[in-house]
Amino acid sequence: MLARRCLAALLASTLAAAAVPAAAEPLPTSDIPANFKPSDDVKDFTIREVQIPMRDGVKLHVNLVIPKGAKNAPIIFSRTPYSADKAITGLASNTYKLALPLTYAELADAGYIIAVQDVRGRFRSEGDYVVARPLVGPLNPANTDHSTDTWDSIDWLVKNIPETNGKVGTIGVSYGGFTTLMSLVNPHPALGAAVPINPLVDGWIGDDWFHNGAYRQSFLDWVYRMTADKSSKYALQFDRYDTYESWLSAGSASGMAKVLGIEEFPIFKKAAAHPAYDEYWKGQALDKILAKEPLKVPTLHVHSLWDQEDIYGAPAVYKAMEAKDAGNGGNYMIIGPWQHGQSNMASGTKLGAIDFGSNTSAWYRSEVLIPFFDAHLKNNAPKAELAPVTAFETGANVWHRYDRWPISCASGCPSQSKPIYLQANGALGWKTPTARAAFSEYVSDPARPVTYRERPILSTYNPNTSWGRWLVDDQRFAEARPDVVTFVSEVLTEDVRLAGQPIAKFFASTSGTDSDWVVKLIDVYPAEYAPAPELAGYELAISMDILRGRYRDDPSKPSAIPANKVVPYEIKLPDVSHRFLKGHRIMVQIQSSWFPLYDRNPQTFVPNIFFAKPEDYKKATQRIYTSAQYPSRIELPLVE
């Protein structure tokens, strides 16, 4: 009995103790650990995040991707406003061959450390962001710029990354191409090579902001994303799927800026305050800047023949730097059949409907890019067997090795350019016109501008956009319009090969007092085309550009066009490397608007087209002259 009582008491005390909670650690307030870093143990690379101090104390964020086992490895350094985190993000993988975007993956596989930096004021870097910040000087009163930030960053990298051999190469596309070129101004001693790809060089002549004075108003989409906040979290929203109608209803470029709420954004105000080619633009032009600098760093310029954003830059800065090379093998260029940035993409076999017969992008990276970096950055590496210029010839779809560029020009080149003349009745031929009085006429109506591509025209960053390939669109849609004049040759009986810069020299009149002129050089495919039946009759533009007529005499001093007077014009078209094949035809189209890519010219002279009023926009009768007295022509860089 006593034993039972003792057992019952023991059980009761045990239950009572169980009913009282034991002292325990407090539950966490968040399910997310305060300090967690994913393990790199199973990866074949490590990522280090560093904040590098600049000379003014501002710290810039850098992501370092270091393959495991790296030793005496050169560093490939990129500086971007588009997020250093995104720049090193490929697929979710434990191997850098998949975890990194393609070009970085191939460079890492070739033995390089990858370093990507957020430029000053963007994403995880401190400081203030200024779009394409000019060099320290009249346009930049601070004591830092992209040149100094690159110098300070390279200095830190070679002193603090134990896996490196102390040599650095810079590389970047577009804005990153611009920062790469900036690294060549007062370069750090450890900078051994540079590869600017499709760089912004001159924002007024032919990159990004303007083309020969015509404002690329679709650039406002980029302005919004890049300057509304430091991390591009805001996307521009148009009120229509077809932005043609949005732009037309807004009126001028300033009208659209007001609709979008960005009329007070500093970068828009700067462009609107400097519509002419004044010191603001001249002082930032990197071809002019680098023409004055000694060539200390071997540089490989990468140019895309159908670059829809920065088609001027690479050939211009190559030519500017070539005078400094003096045959020492420090200045190189590759010309590929690509859109903007396509040299970094997985496939360079096609662009739109045009097939190049091989993966030109992969070939460039394996046969040109990596050998170039290896030769200049790796210890005891063999010399790269690169030609000064490597150019893909579209049409024939072959690579050429040249010792210079251009191959053909008016004088001083291996071949001499040859004019092809606009003729009466829409003809195009090699013979000088003989007609005493001849012209082609059309009416340009700002209320119904010629589009740069078929509608609907999506915004640049629309998920369904095909912005990247618009330069290879079939131009038959424009030929069909009454406000586009067309000149076409007879069927070619032999190939016509071009390698250089076409120059349009033509005579025109307008009933207005201002006008835009758009000139297109086009390869017309045969009416029946067995190799690709779907391309029969295709009109492939190989070089196109625009000129704002008020700048015909002096880009820095606009002047009204005398109404109904014949005036000479000249437009330097983008460089070409192309072969018109036997059986094809050569075509030239001319028009007076290219909308909504470029803002409309009101066709009456106003002080500043950014602020043109609705009543300023008027129809104008345009004439392109094709007579013996006024022999309009295209100077073609013909290779005999």
Side-chain angles (χ1 to χ4, degrees), residues 372-387:
F372 173 78
F373 271 142
D374 286 352
H376 297 290
L377 299 180
K378 289 187 175 180
N379 298 334
N380 303 315
K383 180 181 178 181
E385 296 300 324
L386 301 180

Side-chain angles (χ1 to χ4, degrees), residues 20 37 131 134 177 207 257 388 416 448 471 546 562 583 601:
V20 177
K37 182 174 175 56
V131 173
D207 291 327
Q416 187 173 15
R448 192 174 176 271
L471 283 173
I546 186 171
N601 192 314

Side-chain angles (χ1 to χ4, degrees), residues 292-528:
K292 300 174 184 177
E293 294 286 320
L295 179 57
K296 295 181 179 180
V297 180
T299 303
L300 172 64
H301 307 272
V302 180
H303 177 56
S304 297
L305 289 167
W306 285 289
D307 188 329
Q308 76 280 9
E309 296 182 17
D310 295 304
I311 202 165
Y312 171 83
V317 78
Y318 164 81
K319 294 169 190 175
M321 293 173 61
E322 183 63 9
K324 303 286 184 174
D325 192 14
N328 294 325
N331 195 41
Y332 299 85
M333 182 166 64
I334 182 166
I335 299 171
W338 308 310
Q339 62 164 287
H340 190 72
Q342 191 177 358
S343 60
N344 280 352
M345 298 180 187
S347 178
T349 303
K350 294 187 69 175
L351 179 57
I354 310 305
D355 194 313
F356 307 122
S358 63
N359 191 338
T360 59
S361 299
W363 185 90
Y364 142 76
R365 293 191 301 270
S366 66
E367 303 303 316
V368 178
L369 175 65
I370 292 176
F372 173 78
F373 271 142
D374 286 352
H376 297 290
L377 299 180
K378 289 187 175 180
N379 298 334
N380 303 315
K383 180 181 178 181
E385 296 300 324
L386 301 180
V389 176
T390 305
F392 189 84
E393 185 178 87
T394 55
N397 288 350
V398 295
W399 287 102
H400 291 286
R401 292 168 57 90
Y402 297 131
D403 61 3
R404 57 170 298 155
W405 187 266
I407 303 304
S408 178
C409 60
S411 63
C413 292
S415 293
Q416 187 173 15
S417 56
K418 182 178 181 180
I420 190 167
Y421 292 94
L422 281 55
Q423 309 278 1
N425 302 317
L428 186 71
W430 304 109
K431 294 182 179 180
T432 305
T434 57
R436 294 186 61 184
F439 56 82
S440 294
E441 183 179 277
Y442 61 97
V443 174
S444 173
D445 185 358
R448 192 174 176 271
V450 182
T451 58
Y452 75 99
R453 65 186 320 188
E454 287 192 279
R455 295 175 61 184
I457 297 173
L458 280 58
S459 63
T460 304
Y461 299 107
N462 185 294
N464 299 318
T465 187
S466 57
W467 160 252
R469 63 174 186 264
W470 80 265
L471 283 173
V472 297
D473 284 355
D474 190 340
Q475 295 299 309
R476 279 178 286 193
F477 82 94
E479 183 191 3
R481 291 185 56 125
D483 47 1
V484 177
V485 292
T486 300
F487 305 87
V488 62
S489 73
E490 297 291 336
V491 173
L492 298 176
T493 58
E494 59 183 15
D495 292 356
V496 174
R497 183 179 165 205
L498 308 182
Q501 185 173 46
I503 301 176
K505 297 181 178 180
F506 61 100
F507 297 87
S509 67
T510 175
S511 62
T513 52
D514 199 359
S515 178
D516 286 351
W517 305 102
V518 178
V519 177
K520 308 174 186 176
L521 179 61
I522 296 168
D523 184 343
V524 183
Y525 282 56
E528 291 185 291

Side-chain angles (χ1 to χ4, degrees), residues 204 213 274-278 513-514 548-561 605-609:
W204 195 92
H274 299 277
Y277 196 51
D278 57 17
T513 52
D514 199 359
R548 184 138 287 173
R550 60 175 50 207
Y551 300 114
R552 66 199 178 280
D553 295 325
D554 187 341
S556 66
K557 296 177 181 178
S559 61
I561 299 173
F605 187 84
V606 296
N608 189 335
I609 292 178

Side-chain angles (χ1 to χ4, degrees), residues 171-194:
I171 191 172
V173 179
S174 193
Y175 198 119
F178 160 79
T179 61
T180 299
L181 289 174
M182 280 292 209
S183 74
L184 302 177
V185 180
N186 186 30
H188 191 283
L191 181 60

